[in-house]
Short mmCIF file of all heavy atoms in Angstrom, two decimals:
data_model
loop_
_atom_site.label_atom_id
_atom_site.label_comp_id
_atom_site.label_asym_id
_atom_site.label_seq_id
_atom_site.Cartn_x
_atom_site.Cartn_y
_atom_site.Cartn_z
N ARG B 76 -64.92 -33.53 38.13
CA ARG B 76 -64.88 -32.64 39.32
C ARG B 76 -64.68 -31.19 38.87
O ARG B 76 -63.73 -30.52 39.25
CB ARG B 76 -63.79 -33.08 40.27
CG ARG B 76 -63.96 -34.52 40.74
CD ARG B 76 -62.86 -34.96 41.71
NE ARG B 76 -61.53 -34.88 41.12
CZ ARG B 76 -61.02 -35.77 40.30
NH1 ARG B 76 -61.76 -36.81 39.93
NH2 ARG B 76 -59.81 -35.62 39.82
N VAL B 77 -65.60 -30.75 38.05
CA VAL B 77 -65.48 -29.41 37.44
C VAL B 77 -65.39 -28.32 38.50
O VAL B 77 -66.10 -28.34 39.52
CB VAL B 77 -66.68 -29.17 36.50
CG1 VAL B 77 -66.78 -27.70 36.10
CG2 VAL B 77 -66.58 -30.05 35.27
N GLU B 78 -64.50 -27.37 38.21
CA GLU B 78 -64.29 -26.21 39.09
C GLU B 78 -64.69 -24.94 38.35
O GLU B 78 -64.73 -24.90 37.12
CB GLU B 78 -62.81 -26.14 39.49
CG GLU B 78 -62.29 -27.39 40.15
CD GLU B 78 -60.77 -27.32 40.37
OE1 GLU B 78 -60.15 -26.33 39.92
OE2 GLU B 78 -60.23 -28.27 40.97
N ALA B 79 -64.94 -23.90 39.13
CA ALA B 79 -65.32 -22.61 38.52
C ALA B 79 -64.25 -22.13 37.54
O ALA B 79 -64.57 -21.54 36.49
CB ALA B 79 -65.55 -21.58 39.61
N GLY B 80 -63.00 -22.40 37.84
CA GLY B 80 -61.90 -21.97 36.99
C GLY B 80 -61.82 -22.70 35.67
O GLY B 80 -61.02 -22.31 34.80
N ASP B 81 -62.61 -23.75 35.48
CA ASP B 81 -62.61 -24.49 34.21
C ASP B 81 -63.48 -23.80 33.16
O ASP B 81 -63.45 -24.16 31.99
CB ASP B 81 -63.14 -25.91 34.42
CG ASP B 81 -62.26 -26.74 35.33
OD1 ASP B 81 -61.04 -26.47 35.40
OD2 ASP B 81 -62.78 -27.66 35.99
N GLU B 82 -64.25 -22.81 33.58
CA GLU B 82 -65.14 -22.13 32.65
C GLU B 82 -64.34 -21.50 31.53
O GLU B 82 -63.42 -20.71 31.76
CB GLU B 82 -65.96 -21.08 33.39
CG GLU B 82 -67.20 -20.64 32.63
CD GLU B 82 -68.18 -19.89 33.52
OE1 GLU B 82 -68.04 -18.67 33.65
OE2 GLU B 82 -69.10 -20.55 34.08
N ALA B 83 -64.68 -21.86 30.28
CA ALA B 83 -63.89 -21.43 29.12
C ALA B 83 -64.55 -21.94 27.85
O ALA B 83 -65.55 -22.67 27.91
CB ALA B 83 -62.47 -21.97 29.21
N ASP B 84 -63.97 -21.56 26.72
CA ASP B 84 -64.33 -22.15 25.44
C ASP B 84 -63.37 -23.30 25.16
O ASP B 84 -62.17 -23.18 25.41
CB ASP B 84 -64.23 -21.12 24.32
CG ASP B 84 -65.27 -20.01 24.46
OD1 ASP B 84 -66.39 -20.30 24.91
OD2 ASP B 84 -64.95 -18.87 24.11
N PHE B 85 -63.90 -24.39 24.63
CA PHE B 85 -63.08 -25.55 24.30
C PHE B 85 -63.22 -25.87 22.82
O PHE B 85 -64.34 -25.86 22.28
CB PHE B 85 -63.51 -26.76 25.15
CG PHE B 85 -63.13 -26.63 26.60
CD1 PHE B 85 -63.95 -25.95 27.48
CD2 PHE B 85 -61.93 -27.16 27.08
CE1 PHE B 85 -63.60 -25.81 28.81
CE2 PHE B 85 -61.58 -27.02 28.40
CZ PHE B 85 -62.41 -26.33 29.28
N TYR B 86 -62.09 -26.16 22.18
CA TYR B 86 -62.06 -26.46 20.76
C TYR B 86 -61.40 -27.82 20.52
O TYR B 86 -60.34 -28.09 21.08
CB TYR B 86 -61.26 -25.41 20.00
CG TYR B 86 -61.86 -24.02 20.04
CD1 TYR B 86 -61.52 -23.13 21.05
CD2 TYR B 86 -62.76 -23.60 19.06
CE1 TYR B 86 -62.08 -21.86 21.09
CE2 TYR B 86 -63.31 -22.33 19.09
CZ TYR B 86 -62.97 -21.47 20.12
OH TYR B 86 -63.52 -20.21 20.14
N CYS B 87 -62.02 -28.63 19.67
CA CYS B 87 -61.36 -29.84 19.20
C CYS B 87 -60.68 -29.53 17.86
O CYS B 87 -61.05 -28.56 17.17
CB CYS B 87 -62.33 -31.01 19.05
SG CYS B 87 -63.72 -30.73 17.92
N GLN B 88 -59.71 -30.35 17.50
CA GLN B 88 -58.92 -30.07 16.30
C GLN B 88 -58.31 -31.36 15.77
O GLN B 88 -57.89 -32.22 16.56
CB GLN B 88 -57.83 -29.05 16.62
CG GLN B 88 -56.83 -28.79 15.51
CD GLN B 88 -55.45 -29.28 15.87
OE1 GLN B 88 -54.96 -29.08 16.97
NE2 GLN B 88 -54.78 -29.93 14.93
N VAL B 89 -58.28 -31.50 14.46
CA VAL B 89 -57.61 -32.63 13.82
C VAL B 89 -56.79 -32.11 12.65
O VAL B 89 -56.99 -31.00 12.17
CB VAL B 89 -58.60 -33.70 13.29
CG1 VAL B 89 -59.46 -34.24 14.42
CG2 VAL B 89 -59.48 -33.14 12.17
N TRP B 90 -55.86 -32.96 12.22
CA TRP B 90 -55.13 -32.68 10.97
C TRP B 90 -55.79 -33.53 9.89
O TRP B 90 -55.87 -34.75 10.00
CB TRP B 90 -53.66 -33.06 11.12
CG TRP B 90 -52.87 -32.87 9.87
CD1 TRP B 90 -52.42 -33.83 9.02
CD2 TRP B 90 -52.44 -31.63 9.31
NE1 TRP B 90 -51.74 -33.27 7.98
CE2 TRP B 90 -51.73 -31.92 8.12
CE3 TRP B 90 -52.59 -30.30 9.70
CZ2 TRP B 90 -51.17 -30.92 7.33
CZ3 TRP B 90 -52.02 -29.31 8.91
CH2 TRP B 90 -51.33 -29.62 7.74
N ASP B 91 -56.30 -32.87 8.86
CA ASP B 91 -56.94 -33.56 7.75
C ASP B 91 -55.87 -33.88 6.72
O ASP B 91 -55.45 -33.01 5.94
CB ASP B 91 -58.03 -32.67 7.14
CG ASP B 91 -58.76 -33.35 5.99
OD1 ASP B 91 -58.53 -34.56 5.75
OD2 ASP B 91 -59.57 -32.68 5.32
N SER B 92 -55.46 -35.14 6.68
CA SER B 92 -54.36 -35.52 5.80
C SER B 92 -54.73 -35.46 4.32
O SER B 92 -53.86 -35.36 3.47
CB SER B 92 -53.87 -36.93 6.15
OG SER B 92 -54.93 -37.86 6.05
N SER B 93 -56.03 -35.48 4.03
CA SER B 93 -56.43 -35.45 2.62
C SER B 93 -56.21 -34.07 2.01
O SER B 93 -56.08 -33.95 0.79
CB SER B 93 -57.90 -35.86 2.48
OG SER B 93 -58.75 -34.89 3.07
N THR B 94 -56.19 -33.04 2.84
CA THR B 94 -55.99 -31.67 2.35
C THR B 94 -54.76 -31.01 2.96
O THR B 94 -54.42 -29.89 2.57
CB THR B 94 -57.21 -30.79 2.68
OG1 THR B 94 -57.40 -30.79 4.11
CG2 THR B 94 -58.46 -31.30 2.00
N ASP B 95 -54.13 -31.70 3.94
CA ASP B 95 -53.01 -31.10 4.68
C ASP B 95 -53.43 -29.80 5.35
O ASP B 95 -52.67 -28.83 5.39
CB ASP B 95 -51.80 -30.87 3.76
CG ASP B 95 -51.07 -32.17 3.47
OD1 ASP B 95 -50.77 -32.91 4.43
OD2 ASP B 95 -50.81 -32.45 2.28
N HIS B 96 -54.64 -29.79 5.86
CA HIS B 96 -55.17 -28.64 6.59
C HIS B 96 -55.48 -29.03 8.03
O HIS B 96 -55.97 -30.13 8.30
CB HIS B 96 -56.46 -28.14 5.95
CG HIS B 96 -56.26 -27.44 4.64
ND1 HIS B 96 -57.31 -26.84 3.95
CD2 HIS B 96 -55.17 -27.21 3.90
CE1 HIS B 96 -56.85 -26.29 2.85
NE2 HIS B 96 -55.55 -26.50 2.78
N GLN B 97 -55.24 -28.07 8.94
CA GLN B 97 -55.76 -28.22 10.29
C GLN B 97 -57.25 -27.88 10.24
O GLN B 97 -57.68 -27.00 9.51
CB GLN B 97 -55.08 -27.24 11.25
CG GLN B 97 -53.60 -27.46 11.47
CD GLN B 97 -53.32 -28.51 12.51
OE1 GLN B 97 -54.20 -29.27 12.90
NE2 GLN B 97 -52.09 -28.57 12.98
N VAL B 98 -58.02 -28.57 11.07
CA VAL B 98 -59.46 -28.29 11.14
C VAL B 98 -59.83 -28.14 12.61
O VAL B 98 -59.50 -29.00 13.43
CB VAL B 98 -60.29 -29.43 10.52
CG1 VAL B 98 -61.78 -29.13 10.65
CG2 VAL B 98 -59.91 -29.65 9.06
N PHE B 99 -60.52 -27.04 12.92
CA PHE B 99 -61.02 -26.81 14.28
C PHE B 99 -62.52 -26.99 14.30
O PHE B 99 -63.22 -26.64 13.34
CB PHE B 99 -60.70 -25.39 14.74
CG PHE B 99 -59.26 -25.15 15.09
CD1 PHE B 99 -58.39 -24.56 14.17
CD2 PHE B 99 -58.76 -25.50 16.33
CE1 PHE B 99 -57.07 -24.34 14.49
CE2 PHE B 99 -57.44 -25.28 16.67
CZ PHE B 99 -56.59 -24.70 15.74
N GLY B 100 -63.01 -27.49 15.42
CA GLY B 100 -64.44 -27.46 15.66
C GLY B 100 -64.87 -26.04 15.96
O GLY B 100 -64.04 -25.16 16.19
N GLY B 101 -66.17 -25.81 15.98
CA GLY B 101 -66.69 -24.47 16.18
C GLY B 101 -66.56 -23.95 17.60
O GLY B 101 -66.75 -22.76 17.85
N GLY B 102 -66.21 -24.83 18.53
CA GLY B 102 -66.02 -24.42 19.91
C GLY B 102 -67.24 -24.66 20.78
O GLY B 102 -68.38 -24.58 20.29
N THR B 103 -66.99 -24.96 22.04
CA THR B 103 -68.06 -25.18 23.02
C THR B 103 -67.78 -24.32 24.24
O THR B 103 -66.69 -24.39 24.81
CB THR B 103 -68.12 -26.65 23.45
OG1 THR B 103 -68.43 -27.46 22.33
CG2 THR B 103 -69.16 -26.85 24.54
#
Side-chain angles (χ1 to χ4, degrees):
Chain B
R76 302 180 300 281
V77 167
E78 304 173 356
D81 296 333
E82 198 164 88
D84 293 325
F85 289 86
Y86 296 90
C87 59
Q88 173 247 316
V89 301
W90 177 255
D91 181 8
S92 58
S93 67
T94 58
D95 284 311
H96 288 184
Q97 294 277 14
V98 179
F99 286 98
T103 298

